[in-house]
């Protein structure tokens, strides 16, 4: 079925109404302009994702001809000093079409254009370019960056269309062309890994960081990248605060102007928590768009929700009682708390969203909010949570979404009695159905699974753990993936800048930015492994410190 003007308008109305979609990208952040190739690639991702969801849009050729390009400044990527017969935007569409069909030479492209006059007209061509014209355009007129954008655009279109069941001419090409030949030494020495990590870190950072914006207006002397460079720099050294870090950053940076510590903090304080969360989600969406083009990413499906605490707060919290709240442990300490939803299991570990925890918020509100974000970014099958989310209404909400869950249950009198009976029978495992009362004669049906702990130090009912699940009992084996969250939190806190400020927004920004650095690290490691070996092993081969060092280099330090 051929798309219509109405179906096309529907696509762009959907984009405009979707908060997580930013199109065109150059208008969403000062870090992009109308000549930014990274912004153009982002725009093609955004439009294609919505375009092929429409029932009438089942033609990749029509997408190429309908893609809005009028705003983009192709002249910045045109090596020809004088005008030529064919416009750059038309040639861009032509070469994207060539990549979509996988033609290595111009001969098949010329034949295709000659036999499809309607498509030729839609591409903006007043005739059929000859082979030599096309060869010169690609090899001499287009910059290297524009050629790479053509290849990236075609790959994105193929993957997006294929995911929506649209017929495509061939499988997408590998993302990068630096793969080691079979004849080369397959030993992954540190130099090879770091060289590849440097390329990919540069690529990823140019895509992700523009999602963050301080909205300082025009004419600012200090480039916005300098603020993100400083924030990354603060994450390089444990316990480094903004003032001290800004002074060191001035000497280590290659920039002429760098932010002062107090100016850096003031700009961040001006960001509201909803603004920080929205920027974070946009950055993660960009990051996922990159790693999703590897088949290894599509093993996603399990997310874990948890709450972490900052170090115990020892100062005066007057006026901040709703933000500096009690810890999860039963003690007299107070702490800032942050909740996250993360990809775990065989997927690349990624913090999909983060949010602060305030006094009075229910676990139901927190889980609903984080699952909304997660399901807007990835396909979710199973939700893993800690014992603090043992809530009948939380479990019912997850079930209503069609998702499975695994949650440890607090052992009450009945569970302790059952565990004692199992101990007497020397039984390691036991399952039983249970109805949980929701109120007003409403019930949630779940399954309790008793599992004996290995090498327990206890000789009573505490030898057993009790889990609740609405899925198959095999899901219980997946609960072990939750440990990745604790491991991830340790790395995230390693990436955080130090501060003594009580400002809730500033504190949250520091945590969210550390989550972003952690997610970039794991994404870069995935891409490096796939690029060099064609496989992904969960244990990183690129270290967190290496990634931070590369990020500080790519964002303007040294």
């Amino acid at each position: 079925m051929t798309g219509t003007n109405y179906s096309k308008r529907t696509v762009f109305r959907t984009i405009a109404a979707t908060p997580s979609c930013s199109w065109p990208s150059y208008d969403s952040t000062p870090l992009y302009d109308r000549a930014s190739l990274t912004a153009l690639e982002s725009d093609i991702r955004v439009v294609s994702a919505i375009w092929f969801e429409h029932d009438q849009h089942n033609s990749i050729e029509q997408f190429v001809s309908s893609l809005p390009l009028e705003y983009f400044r192709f002249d910045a990527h045109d090596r020809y000093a004088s005008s030529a017969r064919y416009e750059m935007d038309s040639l861009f569409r032509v070469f994207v079409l060539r990549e979509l069909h996988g033609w290595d030479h111009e001969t098949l492209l010329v034949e295709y254009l000659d036999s499809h006059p309607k498509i030729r007209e839609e591409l903006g061509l007043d005739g059929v370019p000859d082979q030599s014209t096309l060869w010169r355009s690609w090899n001499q007129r287009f910059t290297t960056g524009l050629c790479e954008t053509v290849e990236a655009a075609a790959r994105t279109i193929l993957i997006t269309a294929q995911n929506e069941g649209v017929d495509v001419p061939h499988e997408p090409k590998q993302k990068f062309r630096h793969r080691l030949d079979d004849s080369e030494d397959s030993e992954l020495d540190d130099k090879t890994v770091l060289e590849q990590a440097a390329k990919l870190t540069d690529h990823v950072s140019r895509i992700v960081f523009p999602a963050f914006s301080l909205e300082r207006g025009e004419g600012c002397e200090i480039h916005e990248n300098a603020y993100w460079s400083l924030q990354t720099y603060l994450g390089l050294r444990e316990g480094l605060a903004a003032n001290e870090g800004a002074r060191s950053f001035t000497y280590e940076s290659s920039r002429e102007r760098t932010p002062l510590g107090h100016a850096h903090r003031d700009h961040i304080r001006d960001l509201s928590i909803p603004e920080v969360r929205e920027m974070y989600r946009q950055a993660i969406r960009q990051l996922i768009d990159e790693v999703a083009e590897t088949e290894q990413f599509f093993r996603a499906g399990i997310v874990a929700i948890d709450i972490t605490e900052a170090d115990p707060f020892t100062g005066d919290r007057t006026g901040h009682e709703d933000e500096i709240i009690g810890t999860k442990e039963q003690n007299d300490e107070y702490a800032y708390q942050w909740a996250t939803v993360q990809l775990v299991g065989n997927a690349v570990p990624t913090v999909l969203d983060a949010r602060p925890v305030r006094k009075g918020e229910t676990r139901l509100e927190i889980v609903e909010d984080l699952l909304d974000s997660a399901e807007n970014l990835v396909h979710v099958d199973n939700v893993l949570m800690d014992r603090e989310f043992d809530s009948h209404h939380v479990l019912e909400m997850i079930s209503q979404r069609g998702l499975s869950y695994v949650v440890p249950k607090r052992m009450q009198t009945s569970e302790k009695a059952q565990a004692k009976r199992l101990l007497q029978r020397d039984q390691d495992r036991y399952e039983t159905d249970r109805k949980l009362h929701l109120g007003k004669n409403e019930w949630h049906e779940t399954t309790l699974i008793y599992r004996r702990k290995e090498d327990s130090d206890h000789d009573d009912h505490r030898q057993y753990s009790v889990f609740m699940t609405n899925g198959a009992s095999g899901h219980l084996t997946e609960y072990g993936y939750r440990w990745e969250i604790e491991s991830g939190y340790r790395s995230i806190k390693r990436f955080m800048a130090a501060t003594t400020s009580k400002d809730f927004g500033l504190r949250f920004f520091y945590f969210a930015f550390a989550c972003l650095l952690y997610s970039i690290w794991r994404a870069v490691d995935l891409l490096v492994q796939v690029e060099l070996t064609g496989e992904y092993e969960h244990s990183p081969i690129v270290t967190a410190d290496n990634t931070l060092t590369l990020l500080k280099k790519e964002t303007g330090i040294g």
Side-chain angles (χ1 to χ4, degrees):
M1 186 180 296
T2 304
T4 62
N5 288 333
Y6 178 77
S7 69
K8 296 173 186 177
R9 285 197 299 272
T10 300
V11 166
F12 290 100
R13 284 172 179 164
T14 301
I15 292 172
T18 304
S20 59
C21 289
S22 178
W23 180 88
S25 293
Y26 79 86
D27 200 30
S28 65
T29 168
L31 301 186
Y32 286 154
D33 58 31
R34 292 175 60 184
S36 299
L37 292 172
T38 306
L40 179 58
E41 292 179 28
S42 175
D43 288 347
I44 292 172
R45 280 193 212 97
V46 169
V47 178
S48 64
I50 306 297
W51 180 275
F52 289 110
E53 288 180 352
H54 199 289
D55 292 340
Q56 292 184 335
H57 295 165
N58 54 12
S59 165
I60 57 173
E61 287 84 2
Q62 187 181 43
F63 174 79
V64 173
S65 61
S66 301
L67 179 68
L69 294 175
E70 291 79 9
Y71 67 89
F72 189 75
R73 287 187 49 234
F74 281 101
D75 57 307
H77 310 282
D78 186 353
R79 288 197 182 110
Y80 282 8
S82 57
S83 60
R85 176 179 175 183
Y86 297 104
E87 298 293 334
M88 286 287 284
D89 62 334
S90 294
L91 290 172
F92 179 84
R93 297 181 197 273
V94 166
F95 287 122
V96 169
L97 192 63
R98 183 188 68 177
E99 290 293 317
L100 287 171
H101 284 274
W103 297 324
D104 293 328
H105 303 288
E106 288 73 27
T107 304
L108 292 175
L109 178 59
V110 170
E111 292 176 355
Y112 181 86
L113 294 173
D114 188 50
S115 59
H116 293 80
K118 187 174 184 347
I119 291 178
R120 189 170 69 238
E121 179 183 350
E122 291 173 346
L123 294 174
L125 299 174
D126 58 3
V128 179
D130 57 35
Q131 288 177 244
S132 60
T133 298
L134 291 173
W135 187 92
R136 287 195 302 272
S137 297
W138 181 257
N139 291 281
Q140 298 176 0
R141 186 175 182 182
F142 277 31
T143 62
T144 301
L146 186 57
C147 291
E148 291 175 351
T149 296
V150 167
E151 294 167 351
R155 186 173 53 251
T156 295
I157 295 166
L158 287 172
I159 291 172
T160 307
Q162 195 174 50
N163 290 343
E164 294 299 329
V166 176
D167 291 336
V168 297
H170 71 103
E171 292 292 319
K173 290 181 180 179
Q174 283 291 335
K175 187 169 184 62
F176 300 97
R177 298 187 174 183
H178 309 301
R179 185 178 297 281
L180 298 175
D181 295 335
D182 292 339
S183 59
E184 296 185 55
D185 185 1
S186 60
E187 184 70 25
L188 296 182
D189 58 85
D190 290 343
K191 180 182 178 183
T192 301
V193 170
L194 285 176
E195 286 176 349
Q196 196 64 28
K199 296 173 187 174
L200 293 170
T201 302
D202 176 38
H203 179 76
V204 167
S205 63
R206 291 176 189 276
I207 288 170
V208 171
F209 283 130
F212 279 78
S213 175
L214 294 174
E215 298 182 356
R216 297 177 299 152
E218 299 181 359
C220 296
E221 294 184 10
I222 300 178
H223 195 283
E224 191 161 295
N225 258 348
Y227 289 88
W228 312 134
S229 301
L230 174 56
Q231 192 67 37
T232 304
Y233 180 75
L234 297 177
L236 278 167
R237 299 181 183 177
E238 191 170 354
L240 187 62
N243 282 341
E244 179 188 352
R247 288 192 292 269
S248 300
F249 181 67
T250 299
Y251 296 107
E252 292 196 39
S253 173
S254 60
R255 296 180 181 276
E256 294 182 3
R257 297 289 304 277
T258 59
L260 297 174
H262 70 85
H264 180 73
R265 288 195 307 272
D266 287 345
H267 280 304
I268 291 175
R269 284 196 192 101
D270 288 339
L271 297 173
S272 68
I273 287 175
E275 286 175 330
V276 173
R277 290 191 66 196
E278 181 57 33
M279 290 189 295
Y280 183 87
R281 287 190 289 259
Q282 287 186 23
I284 290 296
R285 181 178 293 279
Q286 300 280 57
L287 187 64
I288 286 175
D289 284 342
E290 287 300 300
V291 297
E293 294 186 7
T294 67
E295 64 180 15
Q296 286 78 5
F297 180 79
F298 289 103
R299 287 183 278 178
I302 305 174
V303 299
I305 294 175
D306 206 351
I307 293 175
T308 189
E309 300 167 354
D311 292 335
F313 186 82
T314 56
D316 180 10
R317 67 184 189 112
T318 303
H320 298 272
E321 291 88 349
D322 291 344
E323 300 164 352
I324 310 172
I325 57 181
T327 65
K328 293 188 287 184
E329 300 297 329
Q330 299 298 319
N331 55 37
D332 296 329
E333 293 182 333
Y334 299 98
Y336 292 90
Q337 293 187 13
W338 321 114
T340 64
V341 57
Q342 302 185 37
L343 277 176
V344 295
N346 290 325
V348 57
T350 307
V351 182
L352 300 174
D353 195 12
R355 56 159 291 158
V357 178
R358 292 182 174 89
K359 184 178 180 180
E361 289 182 317
T362 67
R363 293 300 186 251
L364 178 61
E365 292 174 304
I366 293 169
V367 175
E368 278 190 304
D369 184 18
L370 293 175
L371 280 182
D372 285 343
S373 296
E375 292 193 287
N376 279 329
L377 289 168
V378 297
H379 174 74
V380 177
D381 290 321
N382 197 7
V383 183
L384 310 178
M385 296 180 293
D386 202 356
R387 186 172 285 102
E388 65 185 299
F389 296 98
D390 170 7
S391 161
H392 302 178
H393 293 282
V394 169
L395 305 183
E396 176 66 13
M397 179 271 294
I398 294 173
S399 292
Q400 290 295 328
R401 290 173 179 254
L403 306 177
S404 301
Y405 62 77
V406 179
V407 184
K409 188 181 188 312
R410 297 179 180 92
M411 293 186 74
Q412 307 296 344
T413 302
S414 62
E415 286 82 38
K416 292 177 183 177
Q418 180 61 61
K420 291 176 182 177
R421 289 192 289 272
L422 295 174
L423 186 60
Q424 291 171 355
R425 297 197 294 263
D426 196 26
Q427 187 172 338
D428 292 337
R429 188 182 178 103
Y430 174 73
E431 294 184 25
T432 183
D433 293 335
R434 173 76 63 86
K435 287 186 177 181
L436 306 176
H437 190 224
L438 299 171
K440 295 182 180 179
N441 202 30
E442 295 180 343
W443 301 83
H444 173 75
E445 295 185 4
T446 190
T447 299
L448 299 189
I449 302 178
Y450 292 75
R451 189 174 67 178
R452 199 172 195 170
K453 304 172 186 175
E454 295 182 5
D455 303 321
S456 174
D457 294 331
H458 300 287
D459 58 3
D460 56 10
H461 69 274
R462 288 174 292 179
Q463 288 191 24
Y464 291 86
S465 296
V466 186
F467 294 88
M468 295 181 291
T469 182
N470 62 343
S473 60
H475 284 163
L476 195 58
T477 60
E478 296 175 347
Y479 191 77
Y481 293 136
R482 262 209 76 263
W483 71 267
E484 297 171 12
I485 278 202
E486 301 305 325
S487 174
Y489 280 151
R490 286 193 291 272
S491 295
I492 288 167
K493 290 175 181 178
R494 160 69 179 81
F495 294 159
M496 285 183 65
T499 183
T500 57
S501 172
K502 297 179 190 176
D503 187 276
F504 199 46
L506 179 71
R507 288 268 187 170
F508 175 65
F509 178 87
Y510 279 11
F511 177 75
F513 200 86
C515 289
L516 180 64
L517 294 178
Y518 169 78
S519 300
I520 289 174
W521 162 42
R522 299 308 301 253
V524 167
D525 178 70
L526 165 74
L527 295 172
V528 169
Q529 290 195 45
V530 171
E531 192 62 26
L532 296 180
T533 70
E535 301 291 339
Y536 174 60
E537 296 293 335
H538 213 67
S539 179
I541 64 173
V542 180
T543 68
D545 284 345
N546 283 341
T547 303
L548 271 182
T549 302
L550 292 168
L551 278 172
K552 75 164 185 172
K553 179 179 179 181
E554 297 303 339
T555 49
I557 306 170

